[in-house]
Amino acid sequence: MLSLSLALSALPGSCSAADAAVAAPSQEIMVSVPLSRLTELQSLINRQEQRLNRLQELLGGQSSTLTEQSSSISQLRQELQTAKSSLATSKQIIDEQNKSLTSLSEELKQEQRRTRRIERQRLLWQAVAGGMVVYTVLKE
C-alpha cells in the first residue's frame, strides 16, 4: 500500500481563502490507497483525457466544416440573387421583344391588307380597261 498525505484546511464559512490560510492552521490527514487502485484511477484519467482530446479534435473539425458550409451558403445566396437579377432583366427584355413582335405583326397585317387592296384595284382597272377596249373595238 502507498500512503498519501493530504493537507486540508478548516475553512470557516464567512472567511475568504486568504483569511483562512492565515487564521487556521493546516491539518494533515493520512489516506491509504492501494497502488492498484491508484494505477486504475490514473489509467481512467488518461483514457478520459484521450477521449476529451478526440472530442476536441472532432469538435474542431465540425466547427471547420460548419464554417465552410456557412461560407458556401453565403456564396449560394449571392449567386441566387445574381440569378434573380438576371431573370428579371431577361423577363424585361422578353416583354420588350413581345411588344416589338406584336407591333411588327400588326404592321405586317396592315401591309397585307394594303397589298390585297392594291391587287383588287389593279384587277378592277384591268377589267375597266378590258371593257373599254372591247367597247372601242365593238364600236368601230
Side-chain angles (χ1 to χ4, degrees):
M1 283 196 176
L2 179 64
S3 295
L4 295 175
S5 65
L6 300 173
L8 300 175
S9 297
L11 299 175
S14 63
C15 296
S16 69
D19 292 340
V22 171
S26 293
Q27 295 180 5
E28 289 188 9
I29 299 175
M30 297 295 288
V31 177
S32 295
V33 177
L35 182 59
S36 62
R37 180 70 177 144
L38 185 61
T39 305
E40 183 182 331
L41 289 173
Q42 186 61 44
S43 174
L44 179 63
I45 289 171
N46 289 340
R47 285 193 308 268
Q48 293 298 330
E49 284 178 351
Q50 289 173 352
R51 186 172 180 210
L52 179 61
N53 288 337
R54 285 193 306 267
L55 289 173
Q56 286 175 334
E57 289 174 9
L58 180 62
L59 180 61
Q62 289 176 344
S63 176
S64 174
T65 300
L66 185 60
T67 301
E68 290 173 8
Q69 289 175 344
S70 177
S71 175
S72 294
I73 287 171
S74 295
Q75 183 178 1
L76 288 172
R77 282 184 178 156
Q78 289 175 344
E79 290 175 6
L80 180 60
Q81 190 61 34
T82 301
K84 283 181 180 180
S85 176
S86 295
L87 183 61
T89 302
S90 296
K91 185 180 182 322
Q92 183 180 6
I93 290 170
I94 288 171
D95 288 344
E96 289 173 5
Q97 289 177 343
N98 279 339
K99 287 178 185 177
S100 178
L101 284 174
T102 302
S103 174
L104 288 173
S105 177
E106 192 60 37
E107 287 179 22
L108 180 61
K109 287 178 184 178
Q110 288 177 358
E111 186 63 30
Q112 287 173 341
R113 281 186 236 132
R114 188 175 78 75
T115 303
R116 284 193 300 258
R117 186 185 76 234
I118 291 171
E119 187 65 31
R120 284 191 307 264
Q121 288 174 350
R122 189 175 302 143
L123 288 173
L124 177 65
W125 285 112
Q126 287 175 356
V128 169
M132 293 288 285
V133 169
V134 169
Y135 176 74
T136 306
V137 170
L138 290 177
K139 188 175 173 186
E140 289 181 12

